[in-house]
Amino acid sequence: MYKVSYIKPTTSALFVIALVVGIAWPRLGLAAQAANQFNVKVRLQTSAPESAFCRSSNAPGSFGATITVVCATGAVVDIAPRNTGGMPWSPMHGGAYRYLFSSNAAGYKLDSIDDYAGVGSIASWRVIDLSSWKYLEMLVNW
Amino acid sequence: MNKLLASLLASAALLATAIPAAQGATTASNNFTVTVALTSQCKANNDSTQTVDFGTYEAFQVGAQASLADANIEFKCTRGFTPASAAFDTTNGTAIGGGVLLGLNYDLSVAASTLTTAGTAATSAPAGIGSGDIRTYAVSGSMPADQAGDCATASCAALSHTRTLIVTF
């Protein structure tokens, strides 16, 4: 009789505790969560995409000479000559250069037309009159 | 005379008793209670994959690289309910948003959620269940400058991995 009366209250108490914990667990225990996925993306480039300013050592006419090309980015560039139409290859690589444009006429330097010095394009022509060996030279920049 | 009066009174009493049942139905009412407890919830809602796109990172670049496109992560929540906090997965990075992709360190940040679409209230009509609030978390990222990265060639194609935004409530 003693054992029975002892066990019953204990079992009841455990049941009540379990019931209380079971009800309270969602609030007292781990908080609820919701998850949503997304992507993280990147492309890595280890060198500059293009080199605009490079310099090379000048070795005109020297067969088999080694030419070192140094670019501002430190990248090695292709120095194979393009089709130059039989003209000697000029050791330079692409890009745009800074210059100061000035004009000349009959050996006299004229005033500067444009004092701007910066990147741009330049082209020149020389027309020669073979009968009198007169030159017409034209230099255009833009 | 007395007999006649007695019979008239008896007839009147019978009619008075029978009239309520003959004229219309009577009603009686009894109250009861409808009760329910609601546990607020949120669940993922994006229709398409969202991407934090860092574009192209040039090794050892001088400036930090901010994400070119951010991810808008949506959750559908109980109307009026806002999750307590948001954090990132620890599978491909850290809970506070750190990660590495192509050998490049990046940091994600998430802004407080905004209510982008308010839910509609339920109605008493059949299937008038209404809809939940749509809450959006904007996730952006940044890559610190001067990183070498991992790439065996001049450039490596875009690489991506999956991150997860976890809201707690």
Side-chain angles (χ1 to χ4, degrees), chain A residues 28-122:
Chain A
L28 297 176
L30 293 173
Q33 291 183 327
N36 200 348
Q37 292 184 331
F38 61 98
N39 287 334
V40 178
K41 186 172 76 172
V42 69
R43 175 178 177 268
L44 176 61
Q45 186 168 285
T46 56
S47 60
E50 290 180 0
S51 171
F53 294 95
C54 300
R55 288 182 300 215
S56 68
S57 61
N58 194 358
S62 54
F63 181 77
T66 300
I67 299 177
T68 302
V69 178
V70 179
C71 299
T73 59
V76 177
V77 298
D78 180 12
I79 58 171
R82 296 177 180 175
N83 182 5
T84 56
M87 298 296 288
W89 175 60
S90 178
M92 61 183 184
H93 171 78
Y97 300 88
R98 301 171 69 87
Y99 56 85
L100 181 63
F101 185 81
S102 62
S103 57
N104 299 272
Y108 295 98
K109 182 177 180 181
L110 303 178
D111 289 339
S112 174
I113 295 175
D114 186 357
D115 286 334
Y116 171 74
V119 294
S121 298
I122 192 167

Coordinates of all heavy atoms in Angstrom, one line a residue, chain A residues 28-122:
Chain A
L28 N 9.3 28.6 -25.2 CA 10.5 28.7 -24.4 C 11.7 28.1 -25.1 O 12.8 28.5 -24.8 CB 10.3 27.9 -23.1 CG 9.2 28.4 -22.2 CD1 9.0 27.5 -21.0 CD2 9.5 29.8 -21.7
G29 N 11.6 27.2 -26.0 CA 12.7 26.6 -26.7 C 13.2 27.3 -27.9 O 13.3 28.5 -27.9
L30 N 13.6 26.6 -28.9 CA 14.1 27.2 -30.1 C 13.1 28.0 -30.8 O 12.0 27.7 -31.0 CB 14.6 26.1 -31.1 CG 15.8 25.2 -30.6 CD1 16.1 24.1 -31.5 CD2 17.0 26.1 -30.4
A31 N 13.6 29.2 -31.3 CA 12.7 30.1 -32.1 C 12.5 29.5 -33.4 O 13.4 28.8 -33.9 CB 13.3 31.5 -32.1
A32 N 11.4 29.8 -34.0 CA 11.1 29.3 -35.4 C 12.0 30.1 -36.4 O 12.4 31.2 -36.2 CB 9.6 29.5 -35.7
Q33 N 12.2 29.4 -37.5 CA 13.0 30.1 -38.6 C 12.4 29.8 -39.9 O 11.7 28.8 -40.1 CB 14.5 29.5 -38.5 CG 15.3 30.0 -37.3 CD 16.7 29.5 -37.4 OE1 17.0 28.4 -37.9 NE2 17.6 30.3 -36.8
A34 N 12.7 30.7 -40.8 CA 12.4 30.5 -42.3 C 13.7 30.9 -43.1 O 14.4 31.8 -42.7 CB 11.2 31.4 -42.7
A35 N 13.9 30.1 -44.1 CA 15.2 30.3 -44.9 C 14.8 30.5 -46.4 O 13.9 30.0 -46.9 CB 16.1 29.1 -44.7
N36 N 15.6 31.3 -47.0 CA 15.4 31.6 -48.4 C 16.8 31.7 -49.1 O 17.7 32.4 -48.6 CB 14.6 32.9 -48.6 CG 14.0 33.0 -50.0 OD1 14.3 32.2 -50.9 ND2 13.1 33.9 -50.2
Q37 N 17.0 31.1 -50.2 CA 18.4 31.0 -50.8 C 18.5 32.1 -51.9 O 17.6 32.5 -52.5 CB 18.6 29.6 -51.4 CG 18.7 28.5 -50.4 CD 19.0 27.2 -51.0 OE1 18.7 26.9 -52.1 NE2 19.7 26.4 -50.2
F38 N 19.8 32.4 -52.1 CA 20.2 33.3 -53.2 C 21.6 33.0 -53.6 O 22.3 32.2 -52.9 CB 20.1 34.8 -52.8 CG 20.9 35.2 -51.6 CD1 22.1 35.8 -51.9 CD2 20.6 34.9 -50.3 CE1 23.0 36.2 -50.8 CE2 21.4 35.3 -49.3 CZ 22.6 35.9 -49.5
N39 N 22.1 33.5 -54.7 CA 23.4 33.3 -55.2 C 24.3 34.5 -55.0 O 23.9 35.6 -55.0 CB 23.4 33.0 -56.7 CG 22.8 31.6 -57.0 OD1 22.9 30.7 -56.2 ND2 22.2 31.4 -58.2
V40 N 25.6 34.2 -54.9 CA 26.6 35.2 -54.8 C 27.6 34.9 -56.0 O 28.0 33.8 -56.1 CB 27.4 35.2 -53.5 CG1 28.5 36.3 -53.6 CG2 26.5 35.5 -52.4
K41 N 27.8 35.9 -56.9 CA 28.6 35.6 -58.1 C 29.7 36.6 -58.3 O 29.5 37.8 -58.1 CB 27.6 35.6 -59.3 CG 28.3 35.2 -60.6 CD 27.2 35.0 -61.7 CE 26.7 36.4 -62.2 NZ 25.9 36.2 -63.4
V42 N 30.8 36.2 -58.8 CA 31.9 37.1 -59.2 C 32.7 36.5 -60.3 O 32.8 35.3 -60.4 CB 32.8 37.4 -57.9 CG1 33.6 36.2 -57.5 CG2 33.7 38.6 -58.2
R43 N 33.4 37.3 -61.1 CA 34.3 36.9 -62.1 C 35.7 37.5 -61.7 O 35.7 38.7 -61.4 CB 33.9 37.4 -63.5 CG 34.9 37.1 -64.6 CD 34.3 37.5 -66.0 NE 35.2 37.3 -67.0 CZ 36.1 38.2 -67.5 NH1 36.1 39.4 -66.9 NH2 36.9 38.0 -68.4
L44 N 36.7 36.7 -61.8 CA 38.0 37.3 -61.4 C 38.9 37.4 -62.6 O 39.0 36.5 -63.5 CB 38.7 36.3 -60.4 CG 40.2 36.6 -60.0 CD1 40.2 38.0 -59.3 CD2 40.7 35.6 -59.1
Q45 N 39.5 38.6 -62.7 CA 40.4 38.9 -63.8 C 41.8 39.2 -63.2 O 41.9 40.0 -62.3 CB 39.9 40.1 -64.6 CG 40.7 40.4 -65.8 CD 40.0 41.4 -66.7 OE1 39.0 41.1 -67.3 NE2 40.4 42.7 -66.6
T46 N 42.8 38.4 -63.6 CA 44.1 38.5 -63.0 C 45.0 39.6 -63.7 O 46.0 39.9 -63.1 CB 44.8 37.2 -63.0 OG1 44.9 36.7 -64.4 CG2 44.1 36.1 -62.2
S47 N 44.6 40.0 -64.8 CA 45.4 41.0 -65.5 C 44.5 42.1 -66.1 O 43.3 41.8 -66.3 CB 46.3 40.4 -66.6 OG 45.5 39.8 -67.6
A48 N 45.1 43.2 -66.4 CA 44.4 44.3 -67.0 C 43.9 43.8 -68.4 O 44.5 43.1 -69.1 CB 45.2 45.5 -67.2
P49 N 42.7 44.2 -68.8 CA 42.1 43.7 -70.1 C 42.9 44.2 -71.3 O 43.1 43.4 -72.2 CB 40.7 44.3 -70.1 CG 40.8 45.4 -69.1 CD 41.8 45.1 -68.1
E50 N 43.4 45.4 -71.3 CA 44.1 45.9 -72.4 C 45.2 46.8 -71.9 O 45.1 47.4 -70.9 CB 43.2 46.7 -73.4 CG 42.2 45.8 -74.1 CD 41.3 46.6 -75.0 OE1 41.5 47.8 -75.0 OE2 40.5 46.0 -75.7
S51 N 46.3 46.9 -72.7 CA 47.4 47.7 -72.4 C 47.4 48.9 -73.4 O 47.5 48.6 -74.6 CB 48.7 47.0 -72.4 OG 49.8 47.9 -72.3
A52 N 47.3 50.1 -73.0 CA 47.3 51.2 -73.9 C 48.7 51.8 -74.1 O 49.0 52.3 -75.1 CB 46.3 52.2 -73.5
F53 N 49.4 51.8 -73.0 CA 50.7 52.5 -73.1 C 51.9 51.6 -72.8 O 52.0 51.1 -71.7 CB 50.7 53.7 -72.0 CG 49.7 54.7 -72.4 CD1 48.5 54.7 -71.8 CD2 50.0 55.7 -73.3 CE1 47.6 55.7 -72.1 CE2 49.1 56.7 -73.6 CZ 47.9 56.7 -73.1
C54 N 52.6 51.3 -73.8 CA 53.8 50.5 -73.7 C 55.0 51.1 -74.3 O 54.8 51.9 -75.3 CB 53.6 49.1 -74.3 SG 52.2 48.2 -73.6
R55 N 56.2 50.8 -73.9 CA 57.4 51.3 -74.5 C 58.3 50.2 -74.8 O 58.3 49.2 -74.1 CB 58.1 52.3 -73.6 CG 57.4 53.6 -73.4 CD 58.1 54.5 -72.5 NE 58.3 54.0 -71.2 CZ 58.3 54.7 -70.1 NH1 58.2 56.0 -70.2 NH2 58.5 54.2 -68.9
S56 N 59.1 50.3 -75.8 CA 60.1 49.3 -76.1 C 61.4 49.9 -76.4 O 61.6 51.0 -76.7 CB 59.6 48.5 -77.4 OG 59.7 49.3 -78.5
S57 N 62.4 49.0 -76.2 CA 63.8 49.5 -76.5 C 63.9 49.6 -78.0 O 63.3 48.7 -78.7 CB 64.8 48.5 -76.0 OG 64.6 47.3 -76.5
N58 N 64.5 50.6 -78.5 CA 64.6 50.8 -80.0 C 65.8 50.1 -80.6 O 66.9 50.3 -80.1 CB 64.7 52.3 -80.3 CG 64.4 52.6 -81.7 OD1 64.2 51.6 -82.5 ND2 64.4 53.8 -82.1
A59 N 65.6 49.2 -81.5 CA 66.7 48.4 -82.1 C 66.5 48.4 -83.6 O 66.2 47.4 -84.2 CB 66.7 47.0 -81.6
P60 N 66.6 49.6 -84.3 CA 66.3 49.6 -85.7 C 67.3 48.8 -86.5 O 68.5 49.0 -86.4 CB 66.4 51.1 -86.0 CG 67.3 51.6 -84.9 CD 67.1 50.8 -83.7
G61 N 66.8 48.0 -87.3 CA 67.6 47.2 -88.3 C 68.5 46.2 -87.7 O 69.3 45.6 -88.5
S62 N 68.5 45.9 -86.5 CA 69.3 44.9 -85.9 C 68.6 43.5 -86.0 O 67.7 43.3 -85.3 CB 69.7 45.3 -84.5 OG 68.5 45.5 -83.7
F63 N 69.2 42.7 -86.8 CA 68.6 41.4 -87.0 C 68.7 40.5 -85.7 O 69.8 40.4 -85.2 CB 69.2 40.7 -88.2 CG 68.6 39.3 -88.5 CD1 67.3 39.2 -89.1 CD2 69.3 38.2 -88.1 CE1 66.8 38.0 -89.3 CE2 68.7 36.9 -88.4 CZ 67.5 36.8 -89.0
G64 N 67.7 39.9 -85.3 CA 67.8 39.0 -84.2 C 67.9 39.7 -82.8 O 68.2 39.1 -81.8
A65 N 67.6 41.0 -82.8 CA 67.8 41.8 -81.6 C 66.6 41.4 -80.6 O 65.5 41.0 -81.1 CB 67.8 43.3 -81.8
T66 N 66.9 41.5 -79.4 CA 65.9 41.3 -78.4 C 65.3 42.6 -78.0 O 66.0 43.6 -77.7 CB 66.5 40.6 -77.1 OG1 67.0 39.3 -77.5 CG2 65.4 40.4 -76.1
I67 N 64.0 42.6 -78.1 CA 63.3 43.9 -77.7 C 62.5 43.6 -76.5 O 61.7 42.7 -76.4 CB 62.3 44.3 -78.9 CG1 63.2 44.6 -80.1 CG2 61.5 45.5 -78.5 CD1 62.3 44.9 -81.3
T68 N 62.7 44.5 -75.5 CA 61.9 44.4 -74.3 C 60.8 45.4 -74.3 O 61.0 46.6 -74.6 CB 62.8 44.7 -73.1 OG1 63.9 43.8 -73.1 CG2 62.0 44.6 -71.8
V69 N 59.6 44.9 -74.0 CA 58.4 45.8 -74.0 C 57.9 45.9 -72.6 O 57.7 44.9 -71.9 CB 57.3 45.2 -74.9 CG1 56.0 46.0 -74.9 CG2 57.8 45.0 -76.3
V70 N 57.8 47.1 -72.2 CA 57.3 47.4 -70.8 C 56.0 48.2 -70.9 O 56.0 49.2 -71.5 CB 58.4 48.1 -70.0 CG1 57.9 48.4 -68.6 CG2 59.7 47.4 -70.0
C71 N 55.0 47.6 -70.3 CA 53.7 48.3 -70.2 C 53.5 48.8 -68.8 O 54.0 48.3 -67.9 CB 52.6 47.4 -70.6 SG 52.8 46.7 -72.3
A72 N 52.7 49.8 -68.8 CA 52.4 50.4 -67.5 C 51.7 49.4 -66.5 O 51.9 49.5 -65.3 CB 51.4 51.6 -67.7
T73 N 51.0 48.5 -67.1 CA 50.3 47.5 -66.3 C 51.3 46.4 -65.8 O 50.9 45.6 -65.0 CB 49.2 46.9 -67.0 OG1 49.7 46.3 -68.2 CG2 48.1 48.0 -67.4
G74 N 52.5 46.3 -66.5 CA 53.4 45.2 -66.2 C 53.1 44.0 -67.0 O 53.8 43.0 -66.8
A75 N 52.1 44.0 -67.8 CA 51.7 42.8 -68.6 C 52.6 42.7 -69.8 O 53.0 43.7 -70.4 CB 50.2 42.9 -69.0
V76 N 52.8 41.5 -70.2 CA 53.5 41.2 -71.5 C 52.6 41.3 -72.6 O 51.5 40.8 -72.6 CB 54.2 39.8 -71.4 CG1 54.9 39.5 -72.7 CG2 55.1 39.7 -70.3
V77 N 53.0 42.0 -73.7 CA 52.1 42.2 -74.8 C 52.7 41.6 -76.0 O 53.9 41.3 -76.1 CB 51.9 43.7 -75.1 CG1 51.2 44.4 -73.9 CG2 53.2 44.4 -75.4
D78 N 51.8 41.3 -77.0 CA 52.3 40.7 -78.3 C 53.0 41.8 -79.1 O 52.4 42.9 -79.4 CB 51.0 40.2 -79.0 CG 51.4 39.6 -80.3 OD1 52.6 39.4 -80.6 OD2 50.5 39.4 -81.1
I79 N 54.2 41.5 -79.5 CA 55.0 42.6 -80.2 C 55.2 42.1 -81.7 O 56.1 42.6 -82.3 CB 56.3 42.8 -79.5 CG1 57.2 41.6 -79.4 CG2 56.1 43.5 -78.2 CD1 58.6 41.8 -79.0
A80 N 54.5 41.1 -82.1 CA 54.6 40.7 -83.5 C 54.2 41.8 -84.4 O 53.2 42.5 -84.2 CB 53.8 39.5 -83.7
P81 N 55.0 42.1 -85.4 CA 54.7 43.2 -86.3 C 53.5 42.9 -87.2 O 53.3 41.8 -87.6 CB 55.9 43.4 -87.2 CG 56.6 42.1 -87.2 CD 56.3 41.5 -85.8
R82 N 52.7 43.9 -87.4 CA 51.6 43.8 -88.3 C 52.1 43.9 -89.7 O 53.2 44.1 -90.0 CB 50.5 44.8 -88.0 CG 49.9 44.7 -86.6 CD 48.9 45.8 -86.3 NE 48.3 45.6 -85.0 CZ 47.5 46.5 -84.5 NH1 47.2 47.6 -85.2 NH2 47.0 46.3 -83.3
N83 N 51.2 43.7 -90.6 CA 51.5 43.9 -92.1 C 51.8 45.4 -92.3 O 50.9 46.2 -92.3 CB 50.4 43.4 -92.9 CG 50.7 43.5 -94.4 OD1 51.9 43.9 -94.8 ND2 49.8 43.2 -95.3
T84 N 53.0 45.7 -92.5 CA 53.4 47.1 -92.6 C 53.6 47.5 -94.1 O 54.2 48.5 -94.4 CB 54.7 47.4 -91.9 OG1 55.7 46.5 -92.3 CG2 54.5 47.2 -90.4
G85 N 53.3 46.6 -95.0 CA 53.4 46.9 -96.4 C 54.9 47.1 -96.9 O 55.1 47.9 -97.7
G86 N 55.8 46.3 -96.3 CA 57.1 46.4 -96.7 C 57.9 47.5 -95.9 O 59.2 47.5 -96.1
M87 N 57.3 48.3 -95.2 CA 58.0 49.3 -94.4 C 58.5 48.6 -93.2 O 58.0 47.6 -92.6 CB 57.0 50.4 -94.0 CG 56.4 51.1 -95.2 SD 57.6 52.0 -96.1 CE 58.0 53.4 -95.0
P88 N 59.7 49.2 -92.7 CA 60.2 48.6 -91.4 C 59.3 48.8 -90.3 O 58.5 49.7 -90.2 CB 61.5 49.4 -91.2 CG 61.3 50.7 -92.0 CD 60.4 50.3 -93.1
W89 N 59.3 47.8 -89.4 CA 58.4 47.8 -88.3 C 58.9 48.8 -87.2 O 60.0 48.8 -86.9 CB 58.4 46.4 -87.7 CG 57.6 46.3 -86.4 CD1 56.2 46.6 -86.3 CD2 58.0 45.9 -85.1 NE1 55.8 46.4 -85.0 CE2 56.9 46.0 -84.3 CE3 59.3 45.5 -84.6 CZ2 57.0 45.7 -82.9 CZ3 59.3 45.2 -83.3 CH2 58.2 45.3 -82.5
S90 N 58.0 49.5 -86.8 CA 58.3 50.5 -85.8 C 58.0 49.9 -84.4 O 56.9 49.4 -84.2 CB 57.5 51.8 -86.0 OG 57.7 52.7 -85.0
P91 N 59.0 49.8 -83.6 CA 58.8 49.2 -82.3 C 57.9 49.9 -81.3 O 58.3 50.6 -80.4 CB 60.2 49.0 -81.8 CG 60.9 50.2 -82.3 CD 60.3 50.4 -83.7
M92 N 56.6 49.9 -81.6 CA 55.7 50.6 -80.7 C 54.4 49.7 -80.6 O 54.2 48.9 -81.5 CB 55.4 52.0 -81.1 CG 54.8 52.1 -82.4 SD 54.5 53.8 -82.9 CE 53.6 53.7 -84.4
H93 N 53.7 49.9 -79.6 CA 52.5 49.1 -79.4 C 51.3 49.9 -79.0 O 51.3 50.5 -78.0 CB 52.8 48.1 -78.2 CG 51.6 47.4 -77.8 ND1 51.1 46.3 -78.5 CD2 50.8 47.6 -76.8 CE1 50.0 45.9 -77.9 NE2 49.8 46.6 -76.9
G94 N 50.5 50.1 -80.0 CA 49.2 50.6 -79.8 C 49.1 51.9 -79.0 O 50.1 52.6 -78.9
G95 N 48.0 52.2 -78.5 CA 47.8 53.3 -77.6 C 47.7 54.6 -78.2 O 47.7 54.8 -79.4
A96 N 47.6 55.6 -77.4 CA 47.5 57.0 -77.8 C 48.6 57.8 -77.0 O 48.9 57.4 -75.9 CB 46.1 57.5 -77.5
Y97 N 49.0 58.8 -77.6 CA 50.2 59.5 -77.0 C 49.9 61.0 -76.9 O 49.1 61.6 -77.5 CB 51.4 59.3 -78.0 CG 51.7 57.9 -78.1 CD1 51.1 57.1 -79.1 CD2 52.6 57.2 -77.3 CE1 51.4 55.8 -79.2 CE2 52.9 55.9 -77.4 CZ 52.3 55.2 -78.4 OH 52.6 53.8 -78.5
R98 N 50.7 61.5 -76.0 CA 50.5 63.0 -75.7 C 51.4 63.7 -76.7 O 52.5 63.3 -77.0 CB 50.9 63.3 -74.3 CG 50.1 62.5 -73.3 CD 50.7 62.7 -71.9 NE 50.5 64.1 -71.4 CZ 49.4 64.5 -70.8 NH1 48.4 63.7 -70.5 NH2 49.3 65.7 -70.4
Y99 N 50.9 64.8 -77.2 CA 51.7 65.6 -78.1 C 51.2 67.1 -78.0 O 50.1 67.4 -77.6 CB 51.6 65.1 -79.5 CG 50.2 65.0 -80.0 CD1 49.6 66.2 -80.6 CD2 49.5 63.9 -79.9 CE1 48.3 66.1 -81.0 CE2 48.2 63.8 -80.3 CZ 47.6 64.9 -80.9 OH 46.3 64.8 -81.3
L100 N 52.1 68.0 -78.5 CA 51.7 69.4 -78.6 C 51.8 69.7 -80.1 O 52.9 69.6 -80.7 CB 52.7 70.2 -77.8 CG 52.4 71.7 -77.8 CD1 51.0 72.0 -77.2 CD2 53.5 72.5 -77.0
F101 N 50.7 70.1 -80.6 CA 50.7 70.4 -82.0 C 51.1 71.8 -82.3 O 50.7 72.8 -81.7 CB 49.2 70.2 -82.5 CG 49.0 70.4 -84.0 CD1 49.3 69.3 -84.8 CD2 48.6 71.5 -84.5 CE1 49.2 69.4 -86.2 CE2 48.5 71.7 -85.9 CZ 48.7 70.6 -86.7
S102 N 52.0 72.0 -83.3 CA 52.4 73.3 -83.7 C 52.5 73.3 -85.3 O 52.7 72.2 -85.8 CB 53.7 73.7 -83.1 OG 54.7 72.9 -83.4
S103 N 52.5 74.4 -85.9 CA 52.5 74.4 -87.3 C 53.7 75.1 -87.9 O 54.3 76.0 -87.2 CB 51.2 75.1 -87.9 OG 51.1 76.4 -87.3
N104 N 54.2 74.7 -89.0 CA 55.3 75.4 -89.7 C 55.0 75.7 -91.1 O 54.2 75.0 -91.7 CB 56.5 74.4 -89.7 CG 56.9 74.0 -88.3 OD1 57.8 74.7 -87.6 ND2 56.4 72.9 -87.8
A105 N 55.6 76.7 -91.6 CA 55.4 77.1 -93.0 C 56.7 77.8 -93.5 O 57.2 78.7 -92.9 CB 54.2 78.1 -93.2
A106 N 57.2 77.2 -94.6 CA 58.4 77.8 -95.3 C 59.5 77.9 -94.3 O 60.3 78.9 -94.3 CB 58.1 79.1 -95.9
G107 N 59.6 76.9 -93.4 CA 60.7 76.9 -92.5 C 60.5 77.8 -91.2 O 61.4 77.8 -90.3
Y108 N 59.4 78.5 -91.2 CA 59.2 79.3 -90.0 C 58.1 78.6 -89.2 O 57.1 78.2 -89.7 CB 58.7 80.7 -90.4 CG 59.7 81.5 -91.2 CD1 59.8 81.5 -92.6 CD2 60.7 82.2 -90.5 CE1 60.7 82.2 -93.2 CE2 61.7 82.9 -91.1 CZ 61.7 82.9 -92.5 OH 62.7 83.6 -93.2
K109 N 58.4 78.7 -87.9 CA 57.4 78.1 -87.0 C 56.3 79.1 -86.7 O 56.6 80.3 -86.4 CB 58.0 77.7 -85.7 CG 57.1 77.1 -84.7 CD 57.8 76.6 -83.4 CE 56.8 76.0 -82.5 NZ 57.5 75.6 -81.2
L110 N 55.1 78.7 -87.0 CA 54.0 79.6 -86.7 C 53.5 79.5 -85.3 O 54.0 78.6 -84.5 CB 52.8 79.2 -87.7 CG 53.1 79.3 -89.2 CD1 51.9 78.8 -90.0 CD2 53.6 80.7 -89.6
D111 N 52.6 80.3 -84.9 CA 52.1 80.2 -83.6 C 51.4 78.9 -83.4 O 50.9 78.3 -84.3 CB 51.1 81.4 -83.3 CG 51.9 82.7 -83.2 OD1 53.1 82.7 -82.9 OD2 51.2 83.8 -83.4
S112 N 51.4 78.5 -82.1 CA 50.7 77.3 -81.8 C 49.2 77.4 -82.2 O 48.6 78.4 -81.8 CB 50.9 76.9 -80.4 OG 50.1 75.8 -80.1
I113 N 48.7 76.5 -82.9 CA 47.3 76.5 -83.2 C 46.4 76.1 -82.0 O 45.4 76.6 -81.7 CB 47.0 75.6 -84.4 CG1 47.7 76.2 -85.6 CG2 45.5 75.5 -84.7 CD1 47.6 75.3 -86.9
D114 N 46.9 75.1 -81.4 CA 46.2 74.5 -80.2 C 47.2 74.1 -79.2 O 48.0 73.2 -79.4 CB 45.4 73.4 -80.7 CG 44.5 72.8 -79.5 OD1 44.6 73.4 -78.4 OD2 43.7 71.9 -79.8
D115 N 47.2 74.8 -78.1 CA 48.2 74.5 -77.0 C 47.8 73.3 -76.2 O 48.6 72.9 -75.3 CB 48.3 75.7 -76.1 CG 49.1 76.8 -76.7 OD1 49.9 76.5 -77.6 OD2 48.9 78.0 -76.3
Y116 N 46.7 72.7 -76.5 CA 46.3 71.5 -75.7 C 47.2 70.3 -76.0 O 47.6 70.0 -77.1 CB 44.9 71.1 -76.1 CG 44.4 69.8 -75.5 CD1 44.1 69.7 -74.2 CD2 44.4 68.6 -76.3 CE1 43.7 68.5 -73.7 CE2 44.0 67.4 -75.8 CZ 43.7 67.4 -74.4 OH 43.3 66.2 -73.9
A117 N 47.7 69.7 -74.9 CA 48.5 68.5 -75.0 C 47.8 67.4 -74.3 O 47.5 67.5 -73.1 CB 49.9 68.8 -74.4
G118 N 47.4 66.4 -75.0 CA 46.7 65.3 -74.4 C 46.6 64.1 -75.3 O 47.2 64.2 -76.4
V119 N 45.9 63.1 -74.9 CA 45.7 62.0 -75.8 C 44.9 62.3 -77.0 O 44.0 63.2 -76.9 CB 45.1 60.8 -75.0 CG1 46.1 60.3 -73.9 CG2 43.8 61.2 -74.4
G120 N 45.1 61.7 -78.1 CA 44.4 62.0 -79.3 C 44.9 61.2 -80.4 O 45.7 60.2 -80.2
S121 N 44.6 61.5 -81.6 CA 45.1 60.9 -82.8 C 45.8 61.9 -83.7 O 45.4 63.1 -83.7 CB 44.0 60.2 -83.6 OG 43.3 59.2 -82.8
I122 N 46.7 61.5 -84.5 CA 47.5 62.4 -85.3 C 47.8 61.6 -86.7 O 48.0 60.4 -86.7 CB 48.8 62.8 -84.6 CG1 49.4 64.0 -85.4 CG2 49.8 61.7 -84.5 CD1 50.5 64.7 -84.7

